[in-house]
Amino acid sequence: MESSLGQKNKHREFTLASFSSLPLSSSTASPSSPSIARFHIDSGVAELRIFNDSESSNSTNVDLHMAQLFKVGPVESICISEVSETDKEESYSKGVTIQFRNEEESKAFHCAFEQWKKEADCEESKLPNGVVSARRSKFDSKTEASSAKMYFHYYGQLLHQQNMMQDYVRTGTYFAAVMENRVDFNGKVVVDVGAGSGILSLFAAQAGAKHVYAVEASEMADYARKLIAGNPFLADRITVIKGKVEEVELPEKADILISEPMGTLLVNERMLESYVIARDRLLVPNGKMFPGVGRIHMAPFSDEYLFVEIANKALFWQQQNYFGVDLSSLYGSAFQGYFSQPVVDAFDPRLLVAPSSSHVLDFSSIKEEQLYEIDIPLKFTATVGTRVHGLACWFDVLFNGSSVQRWLTTAPGSPTTHWYQLRCVLSQPIYVMAGQEITGSLRMVAHNNQSYTLYLTLSAKMWGVGAEQGGILQTSSGKMELKEPYYRMSQPQIQPQAYAGQDQQPQQLMQQQQDMNIQSLDIEGAELLQQELENAVVQIQ
């Protein structure tokens, strides 16, 4: 960082009217005390130091990489930063109220803050492969501690690993992709990113890998060691390393990465970012990635049964005499709340009202920061006249082997996986005619609970008088939380099959099954779906 920020600006100072820490304490400056705010470099870390005068030992130091600045008035701002205890796994936030002498100095300070913070983040991303930052890892800095704790606790349990391994579409496709491309693994160094039980590491060893480093941050690492030790013909070529890929050091670079980083809608749980970080830190230049490409597929759908089912959930709040209490004031909030839940289930592809479009994520070249916000423009042509209730989404990933290319798909009509499909349902449907154009956007914004907020807009040109002159639109928008989906039972289920019998293209729907094989979804998905199985049976025609 010295080479960038340090040479351009050794430090930059601003004179403040005053500052005070939150909560107020006797050690902070009084409101009338002039103060200094200095941007500077300390041991390669960009910091903001605020103090009463240049000789004062009482100061507030803020790591710009972990800080945010909020304007609360023309000459008043609050700086919030996250602080972690070095001997604990806990972190807390601290705040500083800053008073400026005038509005111009306030604007100048905000500009300087954003510039120094931007360049500090930029320098952090330029660390050489294999070098770990002295401060908190990227994973810790962008992840809520409670979310990470639950995440690693969930994947540290054998029953959840079993649920994923029993998704034979998933596991079988990985096995086929590795075995059919032995040339990519034979004699090569492999890193298994988020190894879990170690099953993919064992596949790589079976394919002739010279050595496999199985990196796993949860307690599952201990189970992986046991499982690998129980396969002595492979164990001597596999090393389990307990830790995050953002932090671990390996004795050598990998020729190939293998991982299963996909969540609901491909991006949920934000493990794709760890996969990309592992690429930058641990993979040789032009090394292979299994998988190497992901695609998010989208298409508008029509499903009156689903729409009514969701809308009816809020009817509880229309009661005006619930034990003598009028609940109706909360009906509107409840109605919107139910529509903020994306629906995870397996649906009949005949519900789609237009050919799908796709958004490609090339794991070999995409930057981690490009996964923080994903903006996908939408454009479809309706094939039927109907009410459009929202956007259906699914994904697939490509194992681009030197011998065989193999896709793992979660498309409707294909053998069902534990990811199922996802549908964003709008609280206000739009009407379309056959041949009518549907436009809009799907914007996905990452947050520190390891998931995304979805912003969906769909529009269609109005038909009838005046439509040809004004380009009149009917538009519907919605905001959904990907981390809080509605896991819903759907009748058209397809029995998982062994990888050898799978087609690589989506198959036609097979006969409906009454007894559904529950597999794991993303965190807590299986438990939630089990509850729904006891409550809801939905017929799709």
Side-chain angles (χ1 to χ4, degrees):
M1 189 175 298
E2 284 284 346
S3 62
S4 175
L5 281 174
Q7 289 181 3
K8 289 196 300 181
N9 300 304
K10 286 294 184 183
H11 68 265
R12 184 175 178 184
E13 289 187 353
F14 289 84
T15 301
L16 309 177
S18 67
F19 82 98
S20 58
S21 296
L22 298 176
L24 296 175
S25 68
S26 58
S27 62
T28 62
S30 63
S32 59
S33 302
S35 309
I36 302 295
R38 175 183 294 166
F39 295 98
H40 71 119
I41 304 293
D42 184 10
S43 300
V45 177
E47 285 189 340
L48 169 63
R49 183 180 176 222
I50 307 176
F51 49 92
N52 291 342
D53 55 67
S54 58
E55 303 300 326
S56 175
S57 60
N58 293 326
S59 66
T60 296
N61 294 335
V62 177
D63 181 350
L64 290 174
H65 186 70
M66 306 294 296
Q68 289 182 293
L69 185 65
F70 303 94
K71 180 173 286 189
V72 295
V75 294
E76 183 178 3
S77 297
I78 294 179
C79 182
I80 304 294
S81 62
E82 190 174 354
V83 180
S84 60
E85 297 287 352
T86 56
D87 59 341
K88 301 178 181 178
E89 294 184 356
E90 299 178 353
S91 62
Y92 60 91
S93 295
K94 70 176 182 180
V96 181
T97 298
I98 304 171
Q99 292 282 347
F100 300 96
R101 296 183 298 182
N102 53 60
E103 191 170 351
E104 289 71 23
E105 291 184 357
S106 172
K107 292 179 180 179
F109 182 88
H110 275 259
C111 289
F113 183 94
E114 292 302 322
Q115 180 65 22
W116 276 70
K117 179 175 173 61
K118 180 179 179 181
E119 295 195 34
D121 291 342
C122 201
E123 289 295 328
E124 172 78 6
S125 68
K126 293 178 182 177
L127 286 173
N129 284 338
V131 175
V132 182
S133 171
R135 56 174 175 258
R136 300 174 71 202
S137 72
K138 274 195 171 184
F139 181 90
D140 292 331
S141 66
K142 66 187 180 184
T143 306
E144 180 70 33
S146 59
S147 176
K149 183 177 180 179
M150 179 182 294
Y151 176 77
F152 290 124
H153 172 73
Y154 179 89
Y155 286 111
Q157 301 180 61
L158 280 174
L159 71 157
H160 298 307
Q161 294 292 329
Q162 177 181 335
N163 285 334
M164 291 185 290
M165 292 170 68
Q166 284 182 317
D167 179 346
Y168 295 110
V169 176
R170 163 198 179 270
T171 308
T173 303
Y174 268 88
F175 182 75
V178 173
M179 293 304 165
E180 292 168 348
N181 293 285
R182 287 182 177 87
V183 64
D184 293 320
F185 290 85
N186 190 35
K188 302 296 176 59
V189 175
V190 181
V191 170
D192 183 356
V193 179
S197 65
I199 189 66
L200 300 185
S201 297
L202 289 162
F203 290 172
Q206 288 184 63
K210 173 185 175 183
H211 202 86
V212 182
Y213 297 95
V215 181
E216 172 58 39
S218 77
E219 296 303 316
M220 187 52 56
D222 297 328
Y223 291 111
R225 290 190 180 101
K226 289 184 179 180
L227 178 63
I228 291 166
N231 292 267
F233 293 105
L234 304 173
D236 62 339
R237 289 184 284 124
I238 304 175
T239 301
V240 178
I241 299 176
K242 188 174 182 180
K244 305 182 184 75
V245 293
E246 292 87 349
E247 302 170 356
V248 301
E249 296 285 359
L250 301 182
E252 55 188 328
K253 293 293 180 64
D255 301 300
I256 183 168
L257 296 184
I258 189 168
S259 182
E260 195 266 77
M262 301 88 74
T264 305
L265 194 57
L266 184 60
V267 297
N268 190 38
E269 297 183 346
R270 298 184 65 180
M271 190 180 166
L272 283 178
E273 295 166 35
S274 295
Y275 191 38
V276 169
I277 290 172
R279 177 201 69 194
D280 294 340
R281 294 191 65 237
L282 308 176
L283 186 64
V284 298
N286 301 316
K288 274 193 170 291
M289 301 177 73
F290 266 50
V293 173
R295 298 185 303 186
I296 300 174
H297 300 269
M298 301 144 290
F301 73 92
S302 179
D303 191 342
E304 289 288 348
Y305 290 102
L306 175 61
F307 178 80
V308 172
E309 177 186 333
I310 295 174
N312 282 348
K313 288 184 177 184
L315 292 179
F316 170 84
W317 298 96
Q318 282 192 334
Q319 297 181 81
Q320 296 180 357
N321 188 12
Y322 179 76
F323 295 97
V325 177
D326 185 351
L327 303 180
S328 59
S329 59
L330 294 179
Y331 170 73
S333 299
F335 183 84
Q336 293 300 326
Y338 283 118
F339 279 96
S340 72
Q341 292 184 285
V343 177
V344 174
D345 68 351
F347 64 84
D348 190 326
R350 290 172 292 183
L351 295 174
L352 303 178
V353 302
S356 64
S357 63
S358 62
H359 180 76
V360 177
L361 300 177
D362 186 343
F363 304 145
S364 65
S365 60
I366 193 170
K367 296 179 180 179
E368 177 202 353
E369 292 76 13
Q370 291 177 285
L371 294 168
Y372 294 172
E373 185 171 327
I374 304 171
D375 201 349
I376 306 174
L378 304 174
K379 186 176 181 180
F380 309 99
T381 300
T383 56
V384 295
T386 187
R387 288 214 308 175
V388 173
H389 294 101
L391 190 72
C393 306
W394 60 95
F395 70 87
D396 52 29
V397 293
L398 173 65
F399 301 92
N400 190 18
S402 299
S403 301
V404 177
Q405 287 188 336
R406 180 171 285 271
W407 287 93
L408 169 58
T409 182
T410 65
S414 297
T416 304
T417 70
H418 76 281
W419 291 286
Y420 296 87
Q421 292 96 44
L422 179 136
R423 286 184 285 176
C424 298
V425 187
L426 295 169
S427 60
Q428 180 59 56
I430 62 175
Y431 294 82
V432 298
M433 300 294 289
Q436 192 170 4
E437 187 175 88
I438 304 170
T439 59
S441 67
L442 176 64
R443 182 166 163 253
M444 302 187 286
V445 180
H447 55 68
N448 62 3
N449 283 320
Q450 295 175 272
S451 192
Y452 287 76
T453 301
L454 310 179
Y455 299 90
L456 172 64
T457 299
L458 291 179
S459 302
K461 285 189 176 181
M462 294 289 288
W463 286 63
V465 178
E468 66 279 3
Q469 281 89 24
I472 304 171
L473 295 177
Q474 51 171 332
T475 298
S476 183
S477 299
K479 175 183 176 183
M480 297 90 178
E481 287 297 333
L482 185 56
K483 192 178 178 70
E484 301 175 6
Y486 164 36
Y487 292 105
R488 174 179 182 262
M489 181 183 176
S490 181
Q491 287 282 8
Q493 296 294 319
I494 299 173
Q495 183 67 33
Q497 302 173 5
Y499 81 91
Q502 294 173 13
D503 293 329
Q504 292 192 41
Q505 299 297 322
Q507 300 181 0
Q508 296 296 317
L509 282 172
M510 299 172 67
Q511 66 178 19
Q512 298 180 354
Q513 294 181 288
Q514 299 296 328
D515 297 323
M516 181 178 171
N517 179 26
I518 304 275
Q519 304 166 29
S520 83
L521 299 153
D522 285 341
I523 293 178
E524 300 182 349
E527 292 86 347
L528 290 170
L529 185 56
Q530 180 64 57
Q531 296 172 12
E532 295 303 329
L533 285 174
E534 298 171 0
N535 299 324
V537 176
V538 179
Q539 259 189 348
I540 294 183
Q541 298 180 347

